[in-house]
Amino acid sequence: MQSTDFAQRRERLFDKMENGIAVIGSNIFMQRSNDTDFPFRQNSNFRYLTGINEPDCVLILSKKADEQKVFLFIRPNNELEEMWMGKRMGLEKSKDLIGADKTFPISDFNKEMEDLLPGHKNLYVHFHERADLFTNLQKICGDLFNKKRKNTAQPPQAILNVGQLIEELRYVKDQNEILTMKKAMVATNNAHRAAMALTAPGRSEKEINALIEYIFTKGDGQGNAYDNIVAGGNNANILHYIENNQALNDGELLLIDAGCQLNNYATDITRTFPINGKFTGAQKAVYEIVLDSQKAAISHSWPDRNAPDMHKTTCKVLTQGLIDLKVLSGSLDENLEKGTCRKYFPHGTGHWLGLDVHDQNPYLDSNDEPMKFEPGVIFTVEPGLYFPKEDATLPEELRGIGIRIEDNILITETGHENLSAMIPKEVKEIEEACEKDYRDFLD
Ligand code: GLY
Ligand code: MN
Ligand code: MN
């Protein structure tokens, strides 16, 4: 990405703003325990608008009737701290990189904001990120307000959600973003294929998880885009199972939900396959129903269509499947009316995907209507069926089966492109992939 690309994004944000000042924080280091921090991961909105990957920064966009300015607060260069903690961009380099009107040391934030805030009608902040920054700004504005009789310019009188404006910008992905996600998918494909090949009775969720992490980190990838889910047997029925530490048993399935992150962009892929390499009859019957529902949902992926209608399509196929499996009784219409499949399919069909695995894009438009799919929009399609072992109301052969199949779909001018189409998904493809040698996917 060129710095002009980030400048264009800021320009589009300016266009959405009225007279006001937007304050967008980077992430900060989060303490793990004494003297150790969690790995740093940049705030997605800050990254989207600057490309900068450092903690302790704040981007300021100032829009007044007659001028627009960009300011950046950032850590200054410091030889001693950089010797301990790594290089910093510093004030000059970051100013040139993003074309800011001025950069300031982050330690001067409160002092400088007393000068920058007055004269703007609105203060744009993110309503659910960096609560510390929000509180700090409230205090600075309050203090300025108390002093206002002595000043001519007023501090902002209204607070608006900058998050909502950036969400709208991030909805349609540009060619760079799409290319990045396609590159990340190469490692995701290798990891899922290697996992299918290595998995066998006697192996553990932990070993498979380690292999996936290795593949996600050894090349350009930055590791996983979210906590991997490596769930053998009944663990697949815990939707966000992340312990990944149990033995893998003969005759059971392994559900893996794992996606590589590249340049902070996520992939989000789930495959479910037999631990011993061959589906049982009952496993195959459930798998085919989930697969049919996923294909029906993907075939709904066209410009001008929307996610709630896609979800209805998924539920229809799954509900008919549940009737065929004798899990549900009664007619299809009765069951659809009552939403009975929700017990076995308790989540949505998908979500937006991009810099965040659950990308911050709007689900409703300004009329509260579902957002329409348009070229450049990327989302997941991830139906599942979950039959907990403990549920004695289920036919016995289904208990302990949990299956989800998840692909990442790009809407194009003429329909869609499945970005994860290369990852085995048909029963035959999966059984063949389970026969391979995992070392074939390590290069
Ligand atoms: N991996 C999280 C999700 O599928 O939404
Ligand atoms: Mn997902
Ligand atoms: Mn997922």
Side-chain angles (χ1 to χ4, degrees), residues 96-234:
D96 291 347
L97 182 85
I98 75 161
D101 291 284
K102 193 160 183 199
T103 47
F104 304 98
I106 186 68
S107 52
D108 290 350
F109 183 76
N110 286 18
K111 178 165 73 77
E112 296 294 345
M113 288 308 284
E114 286 180 15
D115 290 334
L116 293 177
L117 285 164
H120 296 95
K121 192 161 156 276
N122 301 299
L123 171 60
Y124 289 88
V125 285
H126 201 294
F127 279 13
H128 58 88
E129 287 180 350
R130 290 295 308 271
D132 58 323
L133 197 54
F134 199 163
T135 310
N136 193 20
L137 286 163
Q138 255 180 314
K139 167 136 184 24
I140 301 169
C141 286
D143 289 349
L144 284 169
F145 188 75
N146 287 336
K147 287 190 227 159
K148 75 176 189 304
R149 285 171 207 89
K150 296 180 211 141
N151 287 346
T152 45
Q154 301 268 318
Q157 296 297 309
I159 298 176
L160 297 172
N161 186 8
V162 76
Q164 190 191 346
L165 303 186
I166 307 173
E167 274 187 8
E168 291 165 10
L169 297 182
R170 285 173 52 184
Y171 183 54
V172 172
K173 275 65 183 172
D174 62 31
Q175 284 310 312
N176 269 311
E177 294 179 291
I178 294 167
L179 196 62
T180 304
M181 290 166 79
K182 285 185 174 178
K183 279 191 193 154
M185 197 62 81
V186 174
T188 303
N189 174 35
N190 279 330
H192 278 270
R193 284 177 177 273
M196 287 177 194
L198 181 64
T199 295
R203 295 265 183 203
S204 68
E205 295 170 352
K206 215 171 171 183
E207 285 174 272
I208 307 303
N209 190 37
L211 177 65
I212 293 169
E213 296 214 332
Y214 171 71
I215 295 174
F216 283 175
T217 45
K218 77 183 176 56
D220 295 335
Q222 296 163 300
N224 49 29
Y226 52 91
D227 287 333
N228 297 338
I229 296 171
V230 182
N234 197 40

Side-chain angles (χ1 to χ4, degrees), residues 268 351 358 380 382 406:
D268 181 10
H351 50 82
H358 290 186
T380 69
E382 50 179 306
E406 177 172 24

